[in-house]
PDB file of all heavy atoms in Angstrom:
ATOM      1  N   ILE A 156    -215.073   8.836-156.169  1.00  0.00           N
ATOM      2  CA  ILE A 156    -215.668   9.782-157.108  1.00  0.00           C
ATOM      3  C   ILE A 156    -215.220   9.318-158.491  1.00  0.00           C
ATOM      4  O   ILE A 156    -214.015   9.245-158.765  1.00  0.00           O
ATOM      5  CB  ILE A 156    -215.226  11.228-156.835  1.00  0.00           C
ATOM      6  CG1 ILE A 156    -215.677  11.673-155.438  1.00  0.00           C
ATOM      7  CG2 ILE A 156    -215.808  12.170-157.887  1.00  0.00           C
ATOM      8  CD1 ILE A 156    -215.182  13.061-155.043  1.00  0.00           C
ATOM      9  N   ILE A 169    -211.702   9.181-160.166  1.00  0.00           N
ATOM     10  CA  ILE A 169    -211.056  10.469-159.901  1.00  0.00           C
ATOM     11  C   ILE A 169    -210.424  10.455-158.505  1.00  0.00           C
ATOM     12  O   ILE A 169    -209.259  10.791-158.320  1.00  0.00           O
ATOM     13  CB  ILE A 169    -212.056  11.633-160.004  1.00  0.00           C
ATOM     14  CG1 ILE A 169    -212.693  11.684-161.393  1.00  0.00           C
ATOM     15  CG2 ILE A 169    -211.363  12.964-159.701  1.00  0.00           C
ATOM     16  CD1 ILE A 169    -213.801  12.721-161.521  1.00  0.00           C
ATOM     17  N   VAL A 170    -211.219  10.059-157.517  1.00  0.00           N
ATOM     18  CA  VAL A 170    -210.769  10.017-156.118  1.00  0.00           C
ATOM     19  C   VAL A 170    -211.167   8.681-155.525  1.00  0.00           C
ATOM     20  O   VAL A 170    -212.329   8.267-155.639  1.00  0.00           O
ATOM     21  CB  VAL A 170    -211.393  11.164-155.290  1.00  0.00           C
ATOM     22  CG1 VAL A 170    -210.862  11.125-153.859  1.00  0.00           C
ATOM     23  CG2 VAL A 170    -211.116  12.518-155.922  1.00  0.00           C
ATOM     24  N   HIS A 187    -217.879  17.226-155.115  1.00  0.00           N
ATOM     25  CA  HIS A 187    -217.082  17.549-156.304  1.00  0.00           C
ATOM     26  C   HIS A 187    -217.848  18.579-157.134  1.00  0.00           C
ATOM     27  O   HIS A 187    -219.055  18.512-157.288  1.00  0.00           O
ATOM     28  CB  HIS A 187    -216.788  16.295-157.118  1.00  0.00           C
ATOM     29  CG  HIS A 187    -218.003  15.518-157.510  1.00  0.00           C
ATOM     30  ND1 HIS A 187    -218.672  14.682-156.638  1.00  0.00           N
ATOM     31  CD2 HIS A 187    -218.686  15.458-158.671  1.00  0.00           C
ATOM     32  CE1 HIS A 187    -219.704  14.146-157.244  1.00  0.00           C
ATOM     33  NE2 HIS A 187    -219.745  14.592-158.492  1.00  0.00           N
ATOM     34  N   SER A 188    -217.121  19.550-157.667  1.00  0.00           N
ATOM     35  CA  SER A 188    -217.758  20.646-158.388  1.00  0.00           C
ATOM     36  C   SER A 188    -216.754  21.242-159.369  1.00  0.00           C
ATOM     37  O   SER A 188    -215.542  21.159-159.146  1.00  0.00           O
ATOM     38  CB  SER A 188    -218.227  21.715-157.394  1.00  0.00           C
ATOM     39  OG  SER A 188    -218.789  22.818-158.054  1.00  0.00           O
ATOM     40  N   TYR A 189    -217.276  21.856-160.454  1.00  0.00           N
ATOM     41  CA  TYR A 189    -216.423  22.376-161.526  1.00  0.00           C
ATOM     42  C   TYR A 189    -216.836  23.802-161.885  1.00  0.00           C
ATOM     43  O   TYR A 189    -218.008  24.153-161.794  1.00  0.00           O
ATOM     44  CB  TYR A 189    -216.528  21.492-162.771  1.00  0.00           C
ATOM     45  CG  TYR A 189    -216.338  20.033-162.461  1.00  0.00           C
ATOM     46  CD1 TYR A 189    -217.420  19.228-162.106  1.00  0.00           C
ATOM     47  CD2 TYR A 189    -215.074  19.464-162.468  1.00  0.00           C
ATOM     48  CE1 TYR A 189    -217.251  17.895-161.779  1.00  0.00           C
ATOM     49  CE2 TYR A 189    -214.881  18.130-162.146  1.00  0.00           C
ATOM     50  CZ  TYR A 189    -215.977  17.347-161.799  1.00  0.00           C
ATOM     51  OH  TYR A 189    -215.802  16.035-161.465  1.00  0.00           O
ATOM     52  N   GLN A 190    -215.861  24.593-162.310  1.00  0.00           N
ATOM     53  CA  GLN A 190    -216.170  25.927-162.807  1.00  0.00           C
ATOM     54  C   GLN A 190    -216.475  25.836-164.294  1.00  0.00           C
ATOM     55  O   GLN A 190    -215.619  25.485-165.104  1.00  0.00           O
ATOM     56  CB  GLN A 190    -214.999  26.893-162.567  1.00  0.00           C
ATOM     57  CG  GLN A 190    -215.337  28.338-162.943  1.00  0.00           C
ATOM     58  CD  GLN A 190    -214.180  29.292-162.719  1.00  0.00           C
ATOM     59  OE1 GLN A 190    -213.050  29.007-163.096  1.00  0.00           O
ATOM     60  NE2 GLN A 190    -214.458  30.428-162.086  1.00  0.00           N
ATOM     61  N   ASP A 193    -215.536  22.758-166.496  1.00  0.00           N
ATOM     62  CA  ASP A 193    -214.123  22.587-166.829  1.00  0.00           C
ATOM     63  C   ASP A 193    -213.482  21.581-165.868  1.00  0.00           C
ATOM     64  O   ASP A 193    -213.348  21.863-164.674  1.00  0.00           O
ATOM     65  CB  ASP A 193    -213.410  23.937-166.737  1.00  0.00           C
ATOM     66  CG  ASP A 193    -211.969  23.875-167.213  1.00  0.00           C
ATOM     67  OD1 ASP A 193    -211.421  22.772-167.360  1.00  0.00           O
ATOM     68  OD2 ASP A 193    -211.384  24.956-167.434  1.00  0.00           O
ATOM     69  N   PRO A 194    -213.053  20.400-166.361  1.00  0.00           N
ATOM     70  CA  PRO A 194    -212.451  19.412-165.459  1.00  0.00           C
ATOM     71  C   PRO A 194    -211.106  19.848-164.908  1.00  0.00           C
ATOM     72  O   PRO A 194    -210.614  19.252-163.946  1.00  0.00           O
ATOM     73  CB  PRO A 194    -212.300  18.178-166.366  1.00  0.00           C
ATOM     74  CG  PRO A 194    -212.198  18.730-167.748  1.00  0.00           C
ATOM     75  CD  PRO A 194    -213.095  19.940-167.755  1.00  0.00           C
ATOM     76  N   GLY A 195    -210.503  20.882-165.503  1.00  0.00           N
ATOM     77  CA  GLY A 195    -209.239  21.412-164.992  1.00  0.00           C
ATOM     78  C   GLY A 195    -209.425  22.444-163.900  1.00  0.00           C
ATOM     79  O   GLY A 195    -208.440  22.950-163.358  1.00  0.00           O
ATOM     80  N   ARG A 196    -210.679  22.767-163.598  1.00  0.00           N
ATOM     81  CA  ARG A 196    -210.999  23.699-162.515  1.00  0.00           C
ATOM     82  C   ARG A 196    -212.074  23.056-161.654  1.00  0.00           C
ATOM     83  O   ARG A 196    -213.265  23.184-161.918  1.00  0.00           O
ATOM     84  CB  ARG A 196    -211.479  25.037-163.076  1.00  0.00           C
ATOM     85  CG  ARG A 196    -210.424  25.757-163.915  1.00  0.00           C
ATOM     86  CD  ARG A 196    -210.940  27.059-164.494  1.00  0.00           C
ATOM     87  NE  ARG A 196    -209.890  27.758-165.237  1.00  0.00           N
ATOM     88  CZ  ARG A 196    -210.046  28.946-165.818  1.00  0.00           C
ATOM     89  NH1 ARG A 196    -211.225  29.564-165.739  1.00  0.00           N
ATOM     90  NH2 ARG A 196    -209.047  29.508-166.472  1.00  0.00           N
ATOM     91  N   MET A 197    -211.611  22.331-160.663  1.00  0.00           N
ATOM     92  CA  MET A 197    -212.542  21.549-159.846  1.00  0.00           C
ATOM     93  C   MET A 197    -212.176  21.659-158.381  1.00  0.00           C
ATOM     94  O   MET A 197    -211.120  22.185-158.016  1.00  0.00           O
ATOM     95  CB  MET A 197    -212.530  20.076-160.273  1.00  0.00           C
ATOM     96  CG  MET A 197    -211.257  19.322-159.896  1.00  0.00           C
ATOM     97  SD  MET A 197    -211.404  17.515-160.039  1.00  0.00           S
ATOM     98  CE  MET A 197    -212.600  17.149-158.736  1.00  0.00           C
ATOM     99  N   GLN A 198    -213.055  21.134-157.550  1.00  0.00           N
ATOM    100  CA  GLN A 198    -212.782  21.034-156.122  1.00  0.00           C
ATOM    101  C   GLN A 198    -213.580  19.865-155.560  1.00  0.00           C
ATOM    102  O   GLN A 198    -214.585  19.458-156.124  1.00  0.00           O
ATOM    103  CB  GLN A 198    -213.119  22.335-155.410  1.00  0.00           C
ATOM    104  CG  GLN A 198    -214.584  22.614-155.219  1.00  0.00           C
ATOM    105  CD  GLN A 198    -215.090  22.239-153.831  1.00  0.00           C
ATOM    106  OE1 GLN A 198    -214.793  22.889-152.848  1.00  0.00           O
ATOM    107  NE2 GLN A 198    -215.885  21.170-153.751  1.00  0.00           N
ATOM    108  N   PHE A 199    -213.109  19.307-154.458  1.00  0.00           N
ATOM    109  CA  PHE A 199    -213.893  18.347-153.680  1.00  0.00           C
ATOM    110  C   PHE A 199    -213.479  18.462-152.229  1.00  0.00           C
ATOM    111  O   PHE A 199    -212.431  19.039-151.910  1.00  0.00           O
ATOM    112  CB  PHE A 199    -213.750  16.908-154.211  1.00  0.00           C
ATOM    113  CG  PHE A 199    -212.391  16.291-153.988  1.00  0.00           C
ATOM    114  CD1 PHE A 199    -212.101  15.562-152.840  1.00  0.00           C
ATOM    115  CD2 PHE A 199    -211.395  16.427-154.947  1.00  0.00           C
ATOM    116  CE1 PHE A 199    -210.856  14.986-152.644  1.00  0.00           C
ATOM    117  CE2 PHE A 199    -210.145  15.865-154.764  1.00  0.00           C
ATOM    118  CZ  PHE A 199    -209.874  15.142-153.603  1.00  0.00           C
ATOM    119  N   ILE A 209    -209.763  20.107-151.549  1.00  0.00           N
ATOM    120  CA  ILE A 209    -208.804  20.090-152.645  1.00  0.00           C
ATOM    121  C   ILE A 209    -209.338  20.986-153.753  1.00  0.00           C
ATOM    122  O   ILE A 209    -210.463  20.807-154.232  1.00  0.00           O
ATOM    123  CB  ILE A 209    -208.582  18.670-153.183  1.00  0.00           C
ATOM    124  CG1 ILE A 209    -207.949  17.782-152.112  1.00  0.00           C
ATOM    125  CG2 ILE A 209    -207.721  18.708-154.449  1.00  0.00           C
ATOM    126  CD1 ILE A 209    -206.515  18.138-151.770  1.00  0.00           C
ATOM    127  N   ILE A 210    -208.528  21.963-154.159  1.00  0.00           N
ATOM    128  CA  ILE A 210    -208.904  22.869-155.248  1.00  0.00           C
ATOM    129  C   ILE A 210    -207.887  22.722-156.372  1.00  0.00           C
ATOM    130  O   ILE A 210    -206.681  22.885-156.158  1.00  0.00           O
ATOM    131  CB  ILE A 210    -208.970  24.329-154.763  1.00  0.00           C
ATOM    132  CG1 ILE A 210    -210.084  24.470-153.702  1.00  0.00           C
ATOM    133  CG2 ILE A 210    -209.226  25.275-155.929  1.00  0.00           C
ATOM    134  CD1 ILE A 210    -210.217  25.866-153.122  1.00  0.00           C
ATOM    135  N   VAL A 211    -208.384  22.392-157.548  1.00  0.00           N
ATOM    136  CA  VAL A 211    -207.556  22.247-158.752  1.00  0.00           C
ATOM    137  C   VAL A 211    -207.893  23.406-159.679  1.00  0.00           C
ATOM    138  O   VAL A 211    -209.065  23.642-159.988  1.00  0.00           O
ATOM    139  CB  VAL A 211    -207.836  20.905-159.457  1.00  0.00           C
ATOM    140  CG1 VAL A 211    -206.976  20.770-160.710  1.00  0.00           C
ATOM    141  CG2 VAL A 211    -207.607  19.732-158.508  1.00  0.00           C
ATOM    142  N   TYR A 212    -206.868  24.122-160.130  1.00  0.00           N
ATOM    143  CA  TYR A 212    -207.116  25.265-161.017  1.00  0.00           C
ATOM    144  C   TYR A 212    -205.985  25.394-162.025  1.00  0.00           C
ATOM    145  O   TYR A 212    -204.869  25.783-161.678  1.00  0.00           O
ATOM    146  CB  TYR A 212    -207.256  26.565-160.217  1.00  0.00           C
ATOM    147  CG  TYR A 212    -208.044  27.632-160.945  1.00  0.00           C
ATOM    148  CD1 TYR A 212    -209.426  27.740-160.772  1.00  0.00           C
ATOM    149  CD2 TYR A 212    -207.417  28.504-161.824  1.00  0.00           C
ATOM    150  CE1 TYR A 212    -210.159  28.701-161.449  1.00  0.00           C
ATOM    151  CE2 TYR A 212    -208.145  29.467-162.507  1.00  0.00           C
ATOM    152  CZ  TYR A 212    -209.519  29.564-162.310  1.00  0.00           C
ATOM    153  OH  TYR A 212    -210.241  30.519-162.999  1.00  0.00           O
ATOM    154  N   TRP A 235    -219.070  27.419-157.809  1.00  0.00           N
ATOM    155  CA  TRP A 235    -218.053  28.267-158.441  1.00  0.00           C
ATOM    156  C   TRP A 235    -218.728  29.448-159.130  1.00  0.00           C
ATOM    157  O   TRP A 235    -219.741  29.299-159.806  1.00  0.00           O
ATOM    158  CB  TRP A 235    -217.304  27.489-159.511  1.00  0.00           C
ATOM    159  CG  TRP A 235    -216.319  26.474-159.037  1.00  0.00           C
ATOM    160  CD1 TRP A 235    -216.590  25.195-158.661  1.00  0.00           C
ATOM    161  CD2 TRP A 235    -214.906  26.647-158.923  1.00  0.00           C
ATOM    162  NE1 TRP A 235    -215.425  24.553-158.320  1.00  0.00           N
ATOM    163  CE2 TRP A 235    -214.375  25.417-158.469  1.00  0.00           C
ATOM    164  CE3 TRP A 235    -214.049  27.715-159.158  1.00  0.00           C
ATOM    165  CZ2 TRP A 235    -213.014  25.222-158.254  1.00  0.00           C
ATOM    166  CZ3 TRP A 235    -212.689  27.523-158.943  1.00  0.00           C
ATOM    167  CH2 TRP A 235    -212.183  26.296-158.495  1.00  0.00           C
ATOM    168  N   ILE A 242    -215.552  30.944-154.815  1.00  0.00           N
ATOM    169  CA  ILE A 242    -216.446  29.805-154.589  1.00  0.00           C
ATOM    170  C   ILE A 242    -217.346  30.137-153.404  1.00  0.00           C
ATOM    171  O   ILE A 242    -216.855  30.490-152.325  1.00  0.00           O
ATOM    172  CB  ILE A 242    -215.670  28.508-154.296  1.00  0.00           C
ATOM    173  CG1 ILE A 242    -214.591  28.266-155.353  1.00  0.00           C
ATOM    174  CG2 ILE A 242    -216.627  27.321-154.244  1.00  0.00           C
ATOM    175  CD1 ILE A 242    -213.706  27.061-155.062  1.00  0.00           C
ATOM    176  N   VAL A 485    -211.309  14.494-165.956  1.00  0.00           N
ATOM    177  CA  VAL A 485    -210.263  14.934-165.027  1.00  0.00           C
ATOM    178  C   VAL A 485    -209.047  14.069-165.278  1.00  0.00           C
ATOM    179  O   VAL A 485    -209.133  12.836-165.266  1.00  0.00           O
ATOM    180  CB  VAL A 485    -210.738  14.799-163.567  1.00  0.00           C
ATOM    181  CG1 VAL A 485    -209.601  15.140-162.599  1.00  0.00           C
ATOM    182  CG2 VAL A 485    -211.949  15.687-163.312  1.00  0.00           C
ATOM    183  N   LEU A 487    -206.019  14.175-163.553  1.00  0.00           N
ATOM    184  CA  LEU A 487    -205.212  13.838-162.385  1.00  0.00           C
ATOM    185  C   LEU A 487    -205.571  12.442-161.886  1.00  0.00           C
ATOM    186  O   LEU A 487    -206.735  12.048-161.887  1.00  0.00           O
ATOM    187  CB  LEU A 487    -205.436  14.861-161.270  1.00  0.00           C
ATOM    188  CG  LEU A 487    -204.959  16.285-161.565  1.00  0.00           C
ATOM    189  CD1 LEU A 487    -205.394  17.228-160.457  1.00  0.00           C
ATOM    190  CD2 LEU A 487    -203.452  16.331-161.732  1.00  0.00           C
ATOM    191  N   MET A 492    -204.405  12.650-156.156  1.00  0.00           N
ATOM    192  CA  MET A 492    -205.409  13.247-155.269  1.00  0.00           C
ATOM    193  C   MET A 492    -205.180  12.810-153.826  1.00  0.00           C
ATOM    194  O   MET A 492    -205.248  13.617-152.889  1.00  0.00           O
ATOM    195  CB  MET A 492    -206.809  12.856-155.718  1.00  0.00           C
ATOM    196  CG  MET A 492    -207.223  13.392-157.082  1.00  0.00           C
ATOM    197  SD  MET A 492    -207.296  15.194-157.145  1.00  0.00           S
ATOM    198  CE  MET A 492    -208.297  15.422-158.623  1.00  0.00           C
TER     199      MET A 492
END
Side-chain angles (χ1 to χ4, degrees):
I156 298 175
I169 301 174
V170 182
H187 55 282
S188 177
Y189 310 89
Q190 186 181 46
D193 186 346
R196 298 178 177 182
M197 71 166 293
Q198 74 98 72
F199 70 91
I209 296 291
I210 296 178
V211 180
Y212 204 91
W235 286 84
I242 309 175
V485 175
L487 294 173
M492 295 297 198

